[in-house]
Amino acid sequence: GRAMWPGGAGHGKLKRCSMAHNCLQCIKYLMFVFNLLFWLGGCGILGVGIWLAVTQGNFATLSSSFPSLSAANLLIITGTFVMIIGFVGCIGAIKENKCLLLSFFIMLLIIFVLELTVVILFFVYTDKIDKYAQRDLKKGLHLYGTEGNIGLTNAWSIIQTDFRCCGVSNYTDWFEVYNTTRVPDSCCLEFSENCGLHSPGTWWKAPCYETVKIWLQENLLAVGIFGLCTALVQILGLTFAMTMYCQVVKADTYCA
């Protein structure tokens, strides 16, 4: 009867090894599909960024202090990061590589913590950010219509036309830019050539900063859902990576 024990232990170990292996295969393919989608998402973001950079020129930004902080550049950087992380995750999953899985986990965790920090700081310093943003946008108005600032010029024209507003905190912001009682034609209630030279009665009066801010607050639900989805995707990625890492370790232990 004693001879059966080693066989029983061996059989148990084999069974555990087989279970660990099956579990690992399941998580491996889930993680691969997840990261493939992650990578494709990155490609999409990068593509939109490049398209914006090509069509809007280099300066599709409203900020004069951070000329590089354009929508195009932000999308290009984000897309590249997402692609790199997705690629590391994909290879880590396929190769069942502990080092790559851990790298993927750490990279994603760092980004998640950074995002969380930015959101918290934003809510803590809302008033200061408000004042700084308005000051910076007013400085940016002076670049309107100047050479090499086609992106900024287009951005202001679109905002003022779509939001039916004029200037940053008042339509008089433009008077300092033109050194006369004048606003861009995109401020006019009825658009016509040089209508910005007419009387203030024919211009939009709402300040753009407040108008856009109110619009964002009204669409807070959409912004919140987008933020929540982004966070969920990252948490899912972190969970997949850690689970798979543990399964690789388990399979190594049981199947050694």
Side-chain angles (χ1 to χ4, degrees), residues 3 34 62 72 104 158 162 168 201 204:
F34 171 82
L62 298 173
F104 171 82
I158 292 163
D162 289 359
V168 178
W204 301 117

Side-chain angles (χ1 to χ4, degrees), residues 35-233:
N35 278 293
L36 188 64
L37 292 172
F38 206 67
W39 184 79
L40 288 170
C43 290
I45 295 167
L46 184 67
V48 172
I50 292 168
W51 173 77
L52 266 181
V54 170
T55 55
Q56 294 296 308
N58 294 334
F59 297 98
T61 174
L62 298 173
S63 169
S64 58
S65 304
F66 305 101
S68 306
L69 195 71
S70 65
N73 287 352
L74 282 175
L75 289 172
I76 289 168
I77 293 163
T78 308
T80 307
F81 260 107
V82 170
M83 278 177 73
I84 292 167
I85 292 169
F87 182 73
V88 170
C90 272
I91 303 298
I94 288 294
K95 297 274 186 195
E96 297 174 19
N97 187 309
K98 283 186 284 192
C99 181
L100 283 175
L101 286 170
L102 210 56
S103 300
F104 171 82
F105 181 84
I106 291 164
M107 279 196 290
L108 207 51
L109 188 66
I110 289 168
I111 288 170
F112 187 68
V113 170
L114 280 173
E115 284 171 353
L116 211 60
T117 311
V118 168
V119 170
I120 292 164
L121 287 174
F122 178 78
F123 283 112
V124 171
Y125 295 106
T126 305
D127 293 342
K128 280 185 181 170
I129 292 167
D130 251 358
K131 283 186 188 127
Y132 177 80
Q134 287 191 56
R135 205 166 56 236
D136 193 48
L137 288 168
K138 281 179 189 174
K139 268 192 344 201
L141 291 183
H142 291 271
L143 300 173
Y144 183 88
T146 57
E147 204 182 329
N149 289 309
I150 180 82
L152 181 133
T153 306
N154 286 345
W156 267 114
S157 298
I158 292 163
I159 287 168
Q160 293 186 144
T161 308
D162 289 359
F163 286 96
R164 300 176 169 192
C165 60
C166 192
V168 178
S169 51
N170 201 317
Y171 67 91
T172 54
D173 293 339
W174 288 110
F175 297 177
E176 291 170 38
V177 177
Y178 291 111
N179 286 324
T180 179
T181 311
R182 184 189 177 176
V183 296
D185 295 345
S186 54
C187 276
C188 301
L189 301 164
E190 291 288 327
F191 181 82
S192 65
E193 200 70 41
N194 290 326
C195 61
L197 288 163
H198 302 163
S199 71
T202 61
W203 307 331
W204 301 117
K205 295 290 189 295
C208 288
Y209 191 83
E210 278 306 311
T211 310
V212 173
K213 206 172 146 186
I214 290 163
W215 179 81
L216 278 173
Q217 283 165 353
E218 282 170 357
N219 292 279
L220 210 56
L221 186 68
V223 175
I225 289 168
F226 175 75
L228 207 63
C229 288
T230 309
L232 280 173
V233 165

Side-chain angles (χ1 to χ4, degrees), residues 5-22:
W5 285 106
H11 180 68
K13 190 174 181 189
L14 201 69
K15 202 172 170 187
R16 279 207 302 266
C17 169
S18 166
M19 268 176 71
H21 187 69
N22 290 342

